[in-house]
Amino acid sequence: ATAASTDDAVFALIDKAQQAMALRHFIDPLEGSALSLYREALVLEPGNGEARQGTQRIAEILISRVQAALDERKFDAALQSLETARSIDPDDPRLKALDARLAGMRAELGPSQIQAAITAQNFDRATQLIDEAARARFLPAPKLNQLRDDVRRRRGEIETARLTTLIDTRLQQDRLLDPARDNAAFYLNQARAAGAGALQPQWQEFFRRGTLAARAAIDQHRFAEADRWLGELRTDGLPSASLASLQQALTAARAQPAHEKSDQPSFLDLARTRLASGNVVEPETDSALYYVNRLRATDPQNAALAPLLSATQGQILARAREALDEGQFPKAESLLQLAAGLGTTADVAALGTRLQQAKSAAAGAAGPPAVAEGSLTRTAALTLEYPRSAQVKGQEGWVEVSYLVLADGKVSQVKVVKSSPPGVFDAEAMKAIARLHYQPPRVNGSAAAVSTGVRLVFRLGN
């Protein structure tokens, strides 16, 4: 795995968040809302501008909802929107006026405002409100204690989820010890200190990879690196038997005569041997792919690396094509991901496109029949809003969208197939399609769902 995997994960999260925005799923449902998806992207890439802009847009929407909900005395909805907006931007100047209005309703609101802050994951705000309630004595002590317990429990759950995401990502990237304070070992130990449970699989994977890295360092006589790994694994709690085995191997390697050290096979030789024998990706820790990645990590300037990378990637792509021809989509996708980890090339992109087309064709064969959008009758007009950022920059473009028209004429499963420029007009296109409605489509004389698609063009002045 490479840093590209993180970029792909962030891109996928933002894409899902934009789809949720188009469907107006701003904060609900909690796990699949636009806000939760943008926040998950920011965990992986804190400086991502698109995700930050998305959360700010949600805050604007929520602030506009608060006043209307208060006027209608829909306190739960008002409080949830207010506290969620506060969790995004606690310095928004409009919050002070809304808080002043709510202060006069404190007794009527009861614990609802505190619960809204907890749900919005604004735990400092919830604690502040609990303390104010305790001083004003408008809530009984048992209720205050219950709310404090809720804050502690939810804070722990959110922190555990954040750390688990970071741990899994750093393990996938093979960032086990570096960079400092942003690696798998660092986050695992943070989770342990916080009392997070259910991380045994992550610890086992870390120990497995760490043991392999230590043995590789020993085999290559990189003793400083081996010492570092043994110290880390000892501190983190690797079982004593495994530690003793590593220490024994390190002691034996150090005692080896100097003339014997050059007899150790290099990663380059091992990769070439495994490639020649057909062990391209298996076994996991003794394949051409494994040794190529070790060579990339230890000697990235090696002149033989580039042709070896190309040859390894070529064989992986050949196997991926065979799997695709046989209809083994999961295997083909897995091999394609391994090939992409060695670098993005035209062959990788072409096979990725072919795989997606094959999967879409297979899914379509068992799904609703495809029809031209022009053969359907709209009962609601198509209205497009031009994105403000694109208007300011003078950008124009288009978006191809696929979707289902259900038996009752409603639109479902809106997806962007292709767009230019990517990501600029996608959200507005999906929002426009989601608002459409059709006369119920008919298949063989009966109302039935159909799949269709349309290309939306964004032009300035139109």
Side-chain angles (χ1 to χ4, degrees), residues 98-128:
L98 293 170
D99 287 339
R101 182 175 179 186
L102 286 169
M105 306 177 180
R106 187 63 54 82
E108 186 177 357
L109 295 174
S112 299
Q113 190 173 15
I114 300 170
Q115 197 60 59
I118 295 173
T119 303
Q121 302 174 19
N122 197 346
F123 303 116
D124 291 340
R125 169 70 174 168
T127 301
Q128 175 193 348

PDB file of all heavy atoms in Angstrom, residues 98-128:
ATOM      1  N   LEU A  98     -28.377  33.528  19.044  1.00  0.00           N
ATOM      2  CA  LEU A  98     -29.232  32.353  19.205  1.00  0.00           C
ATOM      3  C   LEU A  98     -29.151  31.817  20.631  1.00  0.00           C
ATOM      4  O   LEU A  98     -30.158  31.397  21.212  1.00  0.00           O
ATOM      5  CB  LEU A  98     -28.821  31.276  18.201  1.00  0.00           C
ATOM      6  CG  LEU A  98     -29.074  31.628  16.727  1.00  0.00           C
ATOM      7  CD1 LEU A  98     -28.412  30.599  15.818  1.00  0.00           C
ATOM      8  CD2 LEU A  98     -30.574  31.686  16.439  1.00  0.00           C
ATOM      9  N   ASP A  99     -27.944  31.837  21.209  1.00  0.00           N
ATOM     10  CA  ASP A  99     -27.800  31.396  22.600  1.00  0.00           C
ATOM     11  C   ASP A  99     -28.588  32.291  23.541  1.00  0.00           C
ATOM     12  O   ASP A  99     -29.191  31.816  24.517  1.00  0.00           O
ATOM     13  CB  ASP A  99     -26.325  31.397  23.000  1.00  0.00           C
ATOM     14  CG  ASP A  99     -25.550  30.251  22.365  1.00  0.00           C
ATOM     15  OD1 ASP A  99     -26.192  29.273  21.972  1.00  0.00           O
ATOM     16  OD2 ASP A  99     -24.313  30.348  22.273  1.00  0.00           O
ATOM     17  N   ALA A 100     -28.577  33.611  23.269  1.00  0.00           N
ATOM     18  CA  ALA A 100     -29.316  34.544  24.128  1.00  0.00           C
ATOM     19  C   ALA A 100     -30.811  34.248  24.083  1.00  0.00           C
ATOM     20  O   ALA A 100     -31.502  34.307  25.105  1.00  0.00           O
ATOM     21  CB  ALA A 100     -29.038  35.980  23.682  1.00  0.00           C
ATOM     22  N   ARG A 101     -31.303  33.898  22.902  1.00  0.00           N
ATOM     23  CA  ARG A 101     -32.725  33.580  22.808  1.00  0.00           C
ATOM     24  C   ARG A 101     -33.049  32.297  23.559  1.00  0.00           C
ATOM     25  O   ARG A 101     -34.074  32.184  24.209  1.00  0.00           O
ATOM     26  CB  ARG A 101     -33.119  33.447  21.338  1.00  0.00           C
ATOM     27  CG  ARG A 101     -34.604  33.153  21.157  1.00  0.00           C
ATOM     28  CD  ARG A 101     -35.011  33.140  19.706  1.00  0.00           C
ATOM     29  NE  ARG A 101     -36.423  32.834  19.576  1.00  0.00           N
ATOM     30  CZ  ARG A 101     -37.045  32.641  18.422  1.00  0.00           C
ATOM     31  NH1 ARG A 101     -36.360  32.747  17.289  1.00  0.00           N
ATOM     32  NH2 ARG A 101     -38.333  32.352  18.394  1.00  0.00           N
ATOM     33  N   LEU A 102     -32.154  31.341  23.481  1.00  0.00           N
ATOM     34  CA  LEU A 102     -32.385  30.063  24.152  1.00  0.00           C
ATOM     35  C   LEU A 102     -32.287  30.175  25.664  1.00  0.00           C
ATOM     36  O   LEU A 102     -32.892  29.395  26.392  1.00  0.00           O
ATOM     37  CB  LEU A 102     -31.377  29.025  23.657  1.00  0.00           C
ATOM     38  CG  LEU A 102     -31.629  28.481  22.246  1.00  0.00           C
ATOM     39  CD1 LEU A 102     -30.423  27.691  21.775  1.00  0.00           C
ATOM     40  CD2 LEU A 102     -32.871  27.609  22.225  1.00  0.00           C
ATOM     41  N   ALA A 103     -31.522  31.160  26.153  1.00  0.00           N
ATOM     42  CA  ALA A 103     -31.341  31.305  27.592  1.00  0.00           C
ATOM     43  C   ALA A 103     -32.672  31.511  28.298  1.00  0.00           C
ATOM     44  O   ALA A 103     -32.880  31.031  29.420  1.00  0.00           O
ATOM     45  CB  ALA A 103     -30.393  32.461  27.889  1.00  0.00           C
ATOM     46  N   GLY A 104     -33.589  32.215  27.639  1.00  0.00           N
ATOM     47  CA  GLY A 104     -34.901  32.442  28.245  1.00  0.00           C
ATOM     48  C   GLY A 104     -35.793  31.224  28.218  1.00  0.00           C
ATOM     49  O   GLY A 104     -36.854  31.223  28.838  1.00  0.00           O
ATOM     50  N   MET A 105     -35.382  30.207  27.478  1.00  0.00           N
ATOM     51  CA  MET A 105     -36.194  28.991  27.378  1.00  0.00           C
ATOM     52  C   MET A 105     -35.557  27.827  28.118  1.00  0.00           C
ATOM     53  O   MET A 105     -35.963  26.688  27.946  1.00  0.00           O
ATOM     54  CB  MET A 105     -36.355  28.587  25.894  1.00  0.00           C
ATOM     55  CG  MET A 105     -36.881  29.659  24.990  1.00  0.00           C
ATOM     56  SD  MET A 105     -36.927  29.058  23.274  1.00  0.00           S
ATOM     57  CE  MET A 105     -37.569  30.492  22.429  1.00  0.00           C
ATOM     58  N   ARG A 106     -34.523  28.095  28.921  1.00  0.00           N
ATOM     59  CA  ARG A 106     -33.725  27.029  29.513  1.00  0.00           C
ATOM     60  C   ARG A 106     -34.567  26.012  30.274  1.00  0.00           C
ATOM     61  O   ARG A 106     -34.410  24.810  30.126  1.00  0.00           O
ATOM     62  CB  ARG A 106     -32.659  27.641  30.414  1.00  0.00           C
ATOM     63  CG  ARG A 106     -31.636  26.665  30.968  1.00  0.00           C
ATOM     64  CD  ARG A 106     -30.818  26.032  29.839  1.00  0.00           C
ATOM     65  NE  ARG A 106     -30.206  26.992  28.963  1.00  0.00           N
ATOM     66  CZ  ARG A 106     -29.062  27.619  29.214  1.00  0.00           C
ATOM     67  NH1 ARG A 106     -28.421  27.406  30.325  1.00  0.00           N
ATOM     68  NH2 ARG A 106     -28.563  28.468  28.337  1.00  0.00           N
ATOM     69  N   ALA A 107     -35.482  26.493  31.119  1.00  0.00           N
ATOM     70  CA  ALA A 107     -36.295  25.566  31.909  1.00  0.00           C
ATOM     71  C   ALA A 107     -37.201  24.726  31.010  1.00  0.00           C
ATOM     72  O   ALA A 107     -37.426  23.537  31.258  1.00  0.00           O
ATOM     73  CB  ALA A 107     -37.130  26.338  32.927  1.00  0.00           C
ATOM     74  N   GLU A 108     -37.720  25.353  29.948  1.00  0.00           N
ATOM     75  CA  GLU A 108     -38.600  24.638  29.038  1.00  0.00           C
ATOM     76  C   GLU A 108     -37.836  23.587  28.225  1.00  0.00           C
ATOM     77  O   GLU A 108     -38.351  22.515  27.915  1.00  0.00           O
ATOM     78  CB  GLU A 108     -39.267  25.644  28.099  1.00  0.00           C
ATOM     79  CG  GLU A 108     -40.336  25.045  27.191  1.00  0.00           C
ATOM     80  CD  GLU A 108     -41.023  26.092  26.332  1.00  0.00           C
ATOM     81  OE1 GLU A 108     -40.715  27.295  26.474  1.00  0.00           O
ATOM     82  OE2 GLU A 108     -41.878  25.698  25.514  1.00  0.00           O
ATOM     83  N   LEU A 109     -36.599  23.897  27.908  1.00  0.00           N
ATOM     84  CA  LEU A 109     -35.795  22.971  27.108  1.00  0.00           C
ATOM     85  C   LEU A 109     -35.345  21.761  27.912  1.00  0.00           C
ATOM     86  O   LEU A 109     -35.148  20.677  27.359  1.00  0.00           O
ATOM     87  CB  LEU A 109     -34.562  23.699  26.559  1.00  0.00           C
ATOM     88  CG  LEU A 109     -34.835  24.822  25.560  1.00  0.00           C
ATOM     89  CD1 LEU A 109     -33.539  25.540  25.221  1.00  0.00           C
ATOM     90  CD2 LEU A 109     -35.489  24.272  24.308  1.00  0.00           C
ATOM     91  N   GLY A 110     -35.121  21.939  29.216  1.00  0.00           N
ATOM     92  CA  GLY A 110     -34.660  20.827  30.035  1.00  0.00           C
ATOM     93  C   GLY A 110     -33.326  20.313  29.554  1.00  0.00           C
ATOM     94  O   GLY A 110     -32.440  21.083  29.189  1.00  0.00           O
ATOM     95  N   PRO A 111     -33.153  18.986  29.519  1.00  0.00           N
ATOM     96  CA  PRO A 111     -31.855  18.421  29.113  1.00  0.00           C
ATOM     97  C   PRO A 111     -31.661  18.343  27.604  1.00  0.00           C
ATOM     98  O   PRO A 111     -30.632  17.858  27.145  1.00  0.00           O
ATOM     99  CB  PRO A 111     -31.898  17.015  29.722  1.00  0.00           C
ATOM    100  CG  PRO A 111     -33.343  16.655  29.711  1.00  0.00           C
ATOM    101  CD  PRO A 111     -34.093  17.942  29.967  1.00  0.00           C
ATOM    102  N   SER A 112     -32.646  18.840  26.817  1.00  0.00           N
ATOM    103  CA  SER A 112     -32.565  18.662  25.362  1.00  0.00           C
ATOM    104  C   SER A 112     -31.334  19.332  24.769  1.00  0.00           C
ATOM    105  O   SER A 112     -30.689  18.801  23.861  1.00  0.00           O
ATOM    106  CB  SER A 112     -33.828  19.215  24.690  1.00  0.00           C
ATOM    107  OG  SER A 112     -34.971  18.527  25.132  1.00  0.00           O
ATOM    108  N   GLN A 113     -30.985  20.530  25.277  1.00  0.00           N
ATOM    109  CA  GLN A 113     -29.840  21.249  24.729  1.00  0.00           C
ATOM    110  C   GLN A 113     -28.542  20.496  25.009  1.00  0.00           C
ATOM    111  O   GLN A 113     -27.656  20.433  24.152  1.00  0.00           O
ATOM    112  CB  GLN A 113     -29.775  22.655  25.320  1.00  0.00           C
ATOM    113  CG  GLN A 113     -28.760  23.554  24.622  1.00  0.00           C
ATOM    114  CD  GLN A 113     -28.825  24.983  25.108  1.00  0.00           C
ATOM    115  OE1 GLN A 113     -29.417  25.269  26.151  1.00  0.00           O
ATOM    116  NE2 GLN A 113     -28.228  25.894  24.363  1.00  0.00           N
ATOM    117  N   ILE A 114     -28.449  19.910  26.206  1.00  0.00           N
ATOM    118  CA  ILE A 114     -27.249  19.141  26.542  1.00  0.00           C
ATOM    119  C   ILE A 114     -27.152  17.914  25.651  1.00  0.00           C
ATOM    120  O   ILE A 114     -26.084  17.592  25.116  1.00  0.00           O
ATOM    121  CB  ILE A 114     -27.283  18.731  28.029  1.00  0.00           C
ATOM    122  CG1 ILE A 114     -27.327  19.972  28.924  1.00  0.00           C
ATOM    123  CG2 ILE A 114     -26.080  17.856  28.383  1.00  0.00           C
ATOM    124  CD1 ILE A 114     -27.595  19.678  30.371  1.00  0.00           C
ATOM    125  N   GLN A 115     -28.283  17.233  25.465  1.00  0.00           N
ATOM    126  CA  GLN A 115     -28.277  16.033  24.637  1.00  0.00           C
ATOM    127  C   GLN A 115     -27.932  16.361  23.188  1.00  0.00           C
ATOM    128  O   GLN A 115     -27.235  15.602  22.513  1.00  0.00           O
ATOM    129  CB  GLN A 115     -29.642  15.342  24.704  1.00  0.00           C
ATOM    130  CG  GLN A 115     -29.631  13.905  24.227  1.00  0.00           C
ATOM    131  CD  GLN A 115     -28.699  13.032  25.053  1.00  0.00           C
ATOM    132  OE1 GLN A 115     -28.863  12.914  26.258  1.00  0.00           O
ATOM    133  NE2 GLN A 115     -27.716  12.419  24.403  1.00  0.00           N
ATOM    134  N   ALA A 116     -28.390  17.526  22.718  1.00  0.00           N
ATOM    135  CA  ALA A 116     -28.061  17.933  21.347  1.00  0.00           C
ATOM    136  C   ALA A 116     -26.560  18.158  21.184  1.00  0.00           C
ATOM    137  O   ALA A 116     -25.972  17.803  20.163  1.00  0.00           O
ATOM    138  CB  ALA A 116     -28.834  19.197  20.984  1.00  0.00           C
ATOM    139  N   ALA A 117     -25.925  18.766  22.196  1.00  0.00           N
ATOM    140  CA  ALA A 117     -24.477  18.981  22.135  1.00  0.00           C
ATOM    141  C   ALA A 117     -23.732  17.654  22.132  1.00  0.00           C
ATOM    142  O   ALA A 117     -22.725  17.497  21.425  1.00  0.00           O
ATOM    143  CB  ALA A 117     -24.026  19.838  23.313  1.00  0.00           C
ATOM    144  N   ILE A 118     -24.215  16.682  22.901  1.00  0.00           N
ATOM    145  CA  ILE A 118     -23.577  15.359  22.920  1.00  0.00           C
ATOM    146  C   ILE A 118     -23.701  14.696  21.553  1.00  0.00           C
ATOM    147  O   ILE A 118     -22.725  14.160  21.006  1.00  0.00           O
ATOM    148  CB  ILE A 118     -24.210  14.467  24.010  1.00  0.00           C
ATOM    149  CG1 ILE A 118     -23.924  15.047  25.404  1.00  0.00           C
ATOM    150  CG2 ILE A 118     -23.661  13.038  23.912  1.00  0.00           C
ATOM    151  CD1 ILE A 118     -24.661  14.327  26.527  1.00  0.00           C
ATOM    152  N   THR A 119     -24.896  14.752  20.969  1.00  0.00           N
ATOM    153  CA  THR A 119     -25.120  14.139  19.654  1.00  0.00           C
ATOM    154  C   THR A 119     -24.256  14.797  18.591  1.00  0.00           C
ATOM    155  O   THR A 119     -23.770  14.126  17.670  1.00  0.00           O
ATOM    156  CB  THR A 119     -26.598  14.259  19.262  1.00  0.00           C
ATOM    157  OG1 THR A 119     -27.403  13.641  20.277  1.00  0.00           O
ATOM    158  CG2 THR A 119     -26.871  13.582  17.919  1.00  0.00           C
ATOM    159  N   ALA A 120     -24.025  16.119  18.737  1.00  0.00           N
ATOM    160  CA  ALA A 120     -23.188  16.847  17.777  1.00  0.00           C
ATOM    161  C   ALA A 120     -21.700  16.624  18.022  1.00  0.00           C
ATOM    162  O   ALA A 120     -20.866  17.214  17.334  1.00  0.00           O
ATOM    163  CB  ALA A 120     -23.501  18.334  17.845  1.00  0.00           C
ATOM    164  N   GLN A 121     -21.361  15.804  19.009  1.00  0.00           N
ATOM    165  CA  GLN A 121     -19.971  15.494  19.353  1.00  0.00           C
ATOM    166  C   GLN A 121     -19.221  16.727  19.862  1.00  0.00           C
ATOM    167  O   GLN A 121     -17.992  16.798  19.790  1.00  0.00           O
ATOM    168  CB  GLN A 121     -19.224  14.880  18.159  1.00  0.00           C
ATOM    169  CG  GLN A 121     -19.875  13.615  17.637  1.00  0.00           C
ATOM    170  CD  GLN A 121     -19.221  13.083  16.383  1.00  0.00           C
ATOM    171  OE1 GLN A 121     -18.084  13.419  16.069  1.00  0.00           O
ATOM    172  NE2 GLN A 121     -19.929  12.250  15.641  1.00  0.00           N
ATOM    173  N   ASN A 122     -19.966  17.695  20.398  1.00  0.00           N
ATOM    174  CA  ASN A 122     -19.366  18.896  20.969  1.00  0.00           C
ATOM    175  C   ASN A 122     -19.326  18.699  22.484  1.00  0.00           C
ATOM    176  O   ASN A 122     -20.122  19.263  23.237  1.00  0.00           O
ATOM    177  CB  ASN A 122     -20.201  20.133  20.600  1.00  0.00           C
ATOM    178  CG  ASN A 122     -19.424  21.419  20.805  1.00  0.00           C
ATOM    179  OD1 ASN A 122     -18.381  21.424  21.454  1.00  0.00           O
ATOM    180  ND2 ASN A 122     -19.941  22.512  20.267  1.00  0.00           N
ATOM    181  N   PHE A 123     -18.384  17.892  22.947  1.00  0.00           N
ATOM    182  CA  PHE A 123     -18.401  17.420  24.334  1.00  0.00           C
ATOM    183  C   PHE A 123     -18.007  18.517  25.325  1.00  0.00           C
ATOM    184  O   PHE A 123     -18.511  18.534  26.449  1.00  0.00           O
ATOM    185  CB  PHE A 123     -17.491  16.204  24.467  1.00  0.00           C
ATOM    186  CG  PHE A 123     -17.871  15.086  23.535  1.00  0.00           C
ATOM    187  CD1 PHE A 123     -17.012  14.662  22.540  1.00  0.00           C
ATOM    188  CD2 PHE A 123     -19.118  14.486  23.631  1.00  0.00           C
ATOM    189  CE1 PHE A 123     -17.375  13.647  21.667  1.00  0.00           C
ATOM    190  CE2 PHE A 123     -19.488  13.475  22.766  1.00  0.00           C
ATOM    191  CZ  PHE A 123     -18.618  13.045  21.786  1.00  0.00           C
ATOM    192  N   ASP A 124     -17.136  19.427  24.945  1.00  0.00           N
ATOM    193  CA  ASP A 124     -16.797  20.539  25.836  1.00  0.00           C
ATOM    194  C   ASP A 124     -18.024  21.416  26.076  1.00  0.00           C
ATOM    195  O   ASP A 124     -18.276  21.873  27.200  1.00  0.00           O
ATOM    196  CB  ASP A 124     -15.664  21.370  25.241  1.00  0.00           C
ATOM    197  CG  ASP A 124     -14.338  20.616  25.237  1.00  0.00           C
ATOM    198  OD1 ASP A 124     -14.205  19.640  26.014  1.00  0.00           O
ATOM    199  OD2 ASP A 124     -13.446  20.973  24.447  1.00  0.00           O
ATOM    200  N   ARG A 125     -18.791  21.671  25.027  1.00  0.00           N
ATOM    201  CA  ARG A 125     -20.020  22.448  25.147  1.00  0.00           C
ATOM    202  C   ARG A 125     -21.020  21.723  26.046  1.00  0.00           C
ATOM    203  O   ARG A 125     -21.665  22.335  26.906  1.00  0.00           O
ATOM    204  CB  ARG A 125     -20.613  22.679  23.762  1.00  0.00           C
ATOM    205  CG  ARG A 125     -22.016  23.252  23.733  1.00  0.00           C
ATOM    206  CD  ARG A 125     -22.070  24.682  24.177  1.00  0.00           C
ATOM    207  NE  ARG A 125     -23.412  25.232  23.993  1.00  0.00           N
ATOM    208  CZ  ARG A 125     -23.799  26.384  24.497  1.00  0.00           C
ATOM    209  NH1 ARG A 125     -22.950  27.119  25.221  1.00  0.00           N
ATOM    210  NH2 ARG A 125     -25.020  26.828  24.277  1.00  0.00           N
ATOM    211  N   ALA A 126     -21.162  20.416  25.877  1.00  0.00           N
ATOM    212  CA  ALA A 126     -22.090  19.650  26.709  1.00  0.00           C
ATOM    213  C   ALA A 126     -21.691  19.721  28.180  1.00  0.00           C
ATOM    214  O   ALA A 126     -22.544  19.893  29.061  1.00  0.00           O
ATOM    215  CB  ALA A 126     -22.124  18.196  26.236  1.00  0.00           C
ATOM    216  N   THR A 127     -20.403  19.607  28.448  1.00  0.00           N
ATOM    217  CA  THR A 127     -19.922  19.703  29.833  1.00  0.00           C
ATOM    218  C   THR A 127     -20.216  21.071  30.420  1.00  0.00           C
ATOM    219  O   THR A 127     -20.635  21.198  31.580  1.00  0.00           O
ATOM    220  CB  THR A 127     -18.413  19.415  29.879  1.00  0.00           C
ATOM    221  OG1 THR A 127     -18.166  18.104  29.363  1.00  0.00           O
ATOM    222  CG2 THR A 127     -17.881  19.494  31.288  1.00  0.00           C
ATOM    223  N   GLN A 128     -20.024  22.110  29.612  1.00  0.00           N
ATOM    224  CA  GLN A 128     -20.324  23.468  30.074  1.00  0.00           C
ATOM    225  C   GLN A 128     -21.805  23.607  30.430  1.00  0.00           C
ATOM    226  O   GLN A 128     -22.160  24.179  31.465  1.00  0.00           O
ATOM    227  CB  GLN A 128     -19.951  24.472  28.982  1.00  0.00           C
ATOM    228  CG  GLN A 128     -20.318  25.916  29.299  1.00  0.00           C
ATOM    229  CD  GLN A 128     -20.208  26.818  28.076  1.00  0.00           C
ATOM    230  OE1 GLN A 128     -19.665  26.431  27.050  1.00  0.00           O
ATOM    231  NE2 GLN A 128     -20.739  28.026  28.186  1.00  0.00           N
TER     232      GLN A 128
END
